Amino acid sequence: MAVAAGVPPIQFGVHEYRTGSADGARADFEKMVAQLAAATTPNVRMIAANPGDWGVDAFAGDLGGAITVWQSKYFMPVTTTSHSQQIRDSLAHALKAAKEHGHTITIWVLCIPSSMDGPAAKWWDGWKKRMEKEHSLVIELWDETALMRRLQSPEGDQVRRAYYEPYGSAPPAVEEQLRLVLEVENEKAVALDSALFVRQMVEAGHVELTAAKRQFFNADLVAREIAHKAVPAEVAALSSTDATLHSLWEMQFNECCTEDTLPALHRRVWRDVRDEHDKLPKNLRLELVHSWGLVHRLVDNRKAGWVKHWRQIADDHSDG
């Protein structure tokens, strides 16, 4: 008999599922953060937007003196440098309002339901130090990991139960929701020009590559997340998916070589991937864009290509 252990996993995507919209998710997440802050800090209050909120979602202290501020940003499923301007603006707005209304911010806490990618984390560390020195305050980050740690603590348990524990006729598991498809920042899109999968497409005569870059970018995010979390079922599902997609490519490649129709290879593989997409492991929660992107990852990993001499191109290609 299988026995459940521990407590239900915390899935921050449930805010959007429960409220039915991104705006609803932001408001729901903001309320959760305020309650979580109140679980460990006395006299935490929220500021109603009427019309503005003074750059404060929740605070503790005296608005005639020093306060701690919690600022929520519902960045999902990952926080990237594309969000950095929103973070800068939030702190600037809070500091401006503090000056106008006669209070001082001593601690400013950014709360996000996801983790930062590498470039975003590097930017945050540098920006945090500069702002702390410039404005003489303490800046903290409650990201995905920090929030989970607090929610799983004895003090935060009631908040966890209220927002993340199923009750009654529970909705379908959050894991069944498809992943968001992100845009590729200009800087990263330019960097991908030197990627092997792009070179293989250029060799095959493709001119427009924007969609391919977006497919690869989103699939690579999924693969890195799965490798980082190392959940055995997800690792196995990704390996199975890679094997399936590789087989689709190989079968079409061999047929196109036999028929001398290699210019049609890309189109025929894409057709097969589209037809196979619904049969791929559900626990990966892939959109069709991710499935296509995983084929680009196979090419980038020197396991496939779009021209007959793809192996030679791969051998000659410099990852730098």
Side-chain angles (χ1 to χ4, degrees), residues 147-159:
L147 286 172
M148 285 186 176
R149 186 177 70 250
R150 286 173 169 82
L151 286 164
Q152 291 167 347
S153 70
E155 295 80 9
D157 189 62
Q158 290 299 320
V159 181

Side-chain angles (χ1 to χ4, degrees), residues 177-193:
Q177 292 180 303
L178 295 178
R179 299 174 184 270
L180 294 178
V181 175
L182 304 177
E183 293 286 352
V184 186
E185 299 171 24
N186 290 336
E187 183 179 342
K188 292 181 179 178
V190 171
L192 286 175
D193 286 338

Side-chain angles (χ1 to χ4, degrees), residues 193 197-198 201-202 206-214:
D193 286 338
F197 82 93
V198 169
M201 293 192 71
V202 171
H206 295 269
V207 178
E208 289 293 337
L209 303 170
T210 303
K213 291 179 181 179
R214 190 179 187 188

Side-chain angles (χ1 to χ4, degrees), residues 4-298:
V7 297
I10 296 170
Q11 299 287 349
F12 292 112
V14 76
H15 291 282
E16 186 164 356
Y17 183 88
R18 181 166 52 234
T19 61
S21 69
D23 287 339
R26 282 191 285 271
D28 200 45
F29 178 70
E30 181 180 317
K31 291 178 181 178
M32 185 281 294
V33 166
Q35 293 183 31
L36 184 59
T40 56
T41 305
N43 303 320
V44 171
R45 291 177 282 169
M46 298 184 71
I47 292 288
N50 185 32
D53 59 6
W54 292 9
V56 174
D57 288 340
F59 76 97
D62 181 356
L63 281 177
I67 64 172
T68 295
V69 172
W70 285 267
Q71 179 65 47
S72 303
K73 291 294 181 183
Y74 193 73
F75 299 149
M76 287 287 282
V78 64
T79 300
T80 71
T81 52
S82 64
H83 299 114
S84 60
Q85 190 58 53
Q86 292 186 54
I87 298 172
R88 292 190 191 97
D89 291 346
S90 291
L91 178 59
H93 181 42
L95 292 171
K96 181 175 182 290
K99 184 176 181 180
E100 292 174 351
H101 299 288
H103 56 268
T104 302
I105 299 174
T106 56
I107 302 176
W108 189 80
V109 186
L110 175 66
C111 306
I112 55 175
S114 58
S115 297
M116 293 183 176
D117 65 11
K122 182 178 180 179
W123 168 83
W124 167 265
D125 290 344
W127 178 81
K128 173 181 179 294
K129 292 177 182 177
R130 293 193 300 274
M131 293 301 100
E132 286 181 327
K133 182 177 181 180
E134 181 177 341
H135 299 289
S136 299
L137 77 165
V138 174
I139 296 178
E140 296 181 6
L141 176 64
W142 287 12
D143 62 358
E144 178 182 21
T145 303
L147 286 172
M148 285 186 176
R149 186 177 70 250
R150 286 173 169 82
L151 286 164
Q152 291 167 347
S153 70
E155 295 80 9
D157 189 62
Q158 290 299 320
V159 181
R160 179 192 63 78
R161 289 174 181 272
Y163 283 89
Y164 304 107
E165 190 163 298
Y167 64 94
S169 54
V174 177
E175 287 81 356
E176 295 177 1
Q177 292 180 303
L178 295 178
R179 299 174 184 270
L180 294 178
V181 175
L182 304 177
E183 293 286 352
V184 186
E185 299 171 24
N186 290 336
E187 183 179 342
K188 292 181 179 178
V190 171
L192 286 175
D193 286 338
S194 61
L196 175 56
F197 82 93
V198 169
R199 182 179 173 189
Q200 291 277 12
M201 293 192 71
V202 171
E203 289 284 340
H206 295 269
V207 178
E208 289 293 337
L209 303 170
T210 303
K213 291 179 181 179
R214 190 179 187 188
Q215 292 156 7
F216 174 86
F217 174 75
N218 280 274
D220 198 49
L221 281 180
V222 173
R224 291 177 184 275
E225 175 191 318
I226 291 173
H228 175 69
K229 291 184 176 179
V231 177
E234 293 183 353
V235 173
L238 181 61
S239 178
S240 172
T241 298
D242 280 341
T244 297
L245 298 177
H246 194 196
S247 297
L248 294 179
W249 167 84
E250 187 175 86
M251 183 166 52
Q252 286 294 353
F253 180 81
N254 289 334
E255 287 186 9
C256 285
C257 286
T258 301
E259 300 167 358
D260 197 22
T261 56
L262 271 172
L265 174 60
H266 188 271
R267 172 175 53 82
R268 287 166 62 165
V269 170
W270 252 226
R271 178 198 63 198
D272 287 355
V273 171
R274 180 193 61 211
D275 294 343
E276 188 70 21
H277 174 72
D278 289 339
K279 303 174 187 176
L280 297 176
K282 301 301 182 186
N283 61 334
L284 295 181
R285 300 181 293 117
L286 301 176
E287 283 275 19
L288 185 55
V289 166
H290 298 109
S291 297
W292 282 338
L294 288 173
V295 177
H296 288 308
R297 286 188 84 252
L298 289 172

